[in-house]
Amino acid sequence: MSGNIQLLTDTLAAARAEGRSALIAYLPAGFPTVDGGIEAVKAVLDGGADVVEVGLPHSDPVLDGPVIQTADDIALRGGVRIADVMRTVREAHGATGKPVLVMTYWNPVDRYGVERFTAELAEAGGAGCILPDLPVQESALWREHADKHGLATVFVVAPSSKDERLAEITEAGSGFVYAASLMGVTGTRESVGSQARGLVERTRATGTGLPVCVGLGVSDSAQAAEVAGFADGVIVGSAFVKRMLDAPDHAAGLEAVRALAGDLAEGVRGRA
């Protein structure tokens, strides 16, 4: 069975055709429980997100800040497994018809087996994978199996990335490029970072035509509108997780992330 890279491509193209950025949400699988996490992912998609990234909780999340680390710890203590991540992808995509990716560090994929992981992700209806710690020069095996199964390979670029490196990454990647707005870990911030616009421009200058989506630091509709002014997509993670963590109960958490998705969707449409 082929994965949904084409659905991801079409979704990003449709947003561009509407003259706006796409809203890409992130939530970890298994948080606060497997079933509760599935409900939360569906809520952000129903609220207005165009695409969702399902995080595979990891014990050493080098890119993730304290908010997402807290959620990952809850999921891991709850016994979340890769099978639960695949189930989250399957049920979220099946319920909404929207593209669902997995964001994961390389070690769990390597231990699980690349062929097995890509085949199961495609079977679940996944659109691809974001691999923040997989060096492009070591990605041939992954990309071979991802291509075979119709999955996008999304690499992360940072303000420190040299132009030569950007060209190498965009040539190897597919789906879109994840542009980290600043040097550091995920988390909500008062400003998105002045380096983000320059990074987007330099990434586009490589000429591959891949959409460039910006994450790290976006937490409200005004920031979403700011980033939407120069990026193809706006990625929001910690703000959603924080809403779930701060909610007095699960039902309130679902309503909070659904409402935030609606606010952010207005922002990427320039109506912050």
Side-chain angles (χ1 to χ4, degrees):
M1 180 174 178
S2 182
N4 274 313
I5 185 174
Q6 191 60 51
L7 175 62
L8 175 65
T9 300
D10 291 347
T11 298
L12 294 172
R16 177 180 288 184
E18 293 174 14
R20 67 174 180 89
S21 287
L23 175 59
I24 302 174
Y26 166 94
L27 280 170
F31 167 70
T33 62
V34 175
D35 288 343
I38 291 169
E39 291 176 333
V41 172
K42 290 179 183 177
V44 298
L45 288 168
D46 290 341
D50 299 291
V51 180
V52 74
E53 305 169 7
V54 172
L56 194 162
H58 188 50
S59 58
D60 186 25
V62 293
L63 185 69
D64 298 320
V67 170
I68 291 176
Q69 286 185 28
T70 297
D72 278 1
D73 185 57
I74 291 169
L76 290 167
R77 284 190 283 111
V80 68
R81 297 290 183 265
I82 289 179
D84 300 315
V85 177
M86 298 299 178
R87 180 184 156 212
T88 302
V89 172
R90 179 181 295 106
E91 295 198 18
H93 172 65
T96 65
K98 293 184 177 182
V100 182
L101 301 104
V102 167
M103 186 166 188
T104 179
Y105 297 98
W106 179 244
N107 183 258
V109 177
D110 190 38
R111 292 189 63 181
Y112 197 71
V114 175
E115 168 61 20
R116 181 184 178 193
F117 190 95
T118 52
E120 290 184 8
L121 182 55
E123 188 277 330
C129 222
I130 302 164
L131 298 154
D133 66 340
L134 177 64
V136 65
Q137 66 269 23
E138 298 175 17
S139 66
L141 177 65
W142 165 268
R143 287 187 286 124
E144 174 191 345
H145 288 289
D147 290 347
K148 180 171 75 171
H149 290 291
L151 298 169
T153 297
V154 179
F155 290 112
V156 178
V157 298
S160 60
S161 301
K162 304 298 185 185
D163 290 349
E164 181 181 345
R165 180 72 170 164
L166 291 177
E168 185 180 10
I169 289 171
T170 56
E171 180 65 30
S174 55
F176 63 91
V177 180
Y178 187 126
S181 66
L182 38 74
M183 301 302 293
V185 297
T186 59
T188 60
R189 292 175 172 84
E190 292 184 3
S191 63
V192 176
S194 59
Q195 298 170 309
R197 184 187 294 268
L199 177 58
V200 170
E201 291 172 352
R202 291 196 299 120
T203 305
R204 284 183 177 150
T206 62
T208 61
L210 273 184
V212 185
C213 303
V214 170
L216 273 69
V218 178
S219 61
D220 59 36
S221 59
Q223 291 175 338
E226 176 191 351
V227 174
F230 59 83
D232 299 296
V234 179
I235 303 170
V236 182
S238 295
F240 283 113
V241 175
K242 191 171 189 304
R243 293 287 180 101
M244 293 289 292
L245 286 169
D246 290 347
D249 55 53
H250 184 58
L254 294 179
E255 188 51 44
V257 295
R258 185 180 290 108
L260 178 58
D263 289 343
L264 293 166
E266 291 288 302
V268 299
R269 287 167 171 79
R271 298 196 293 269

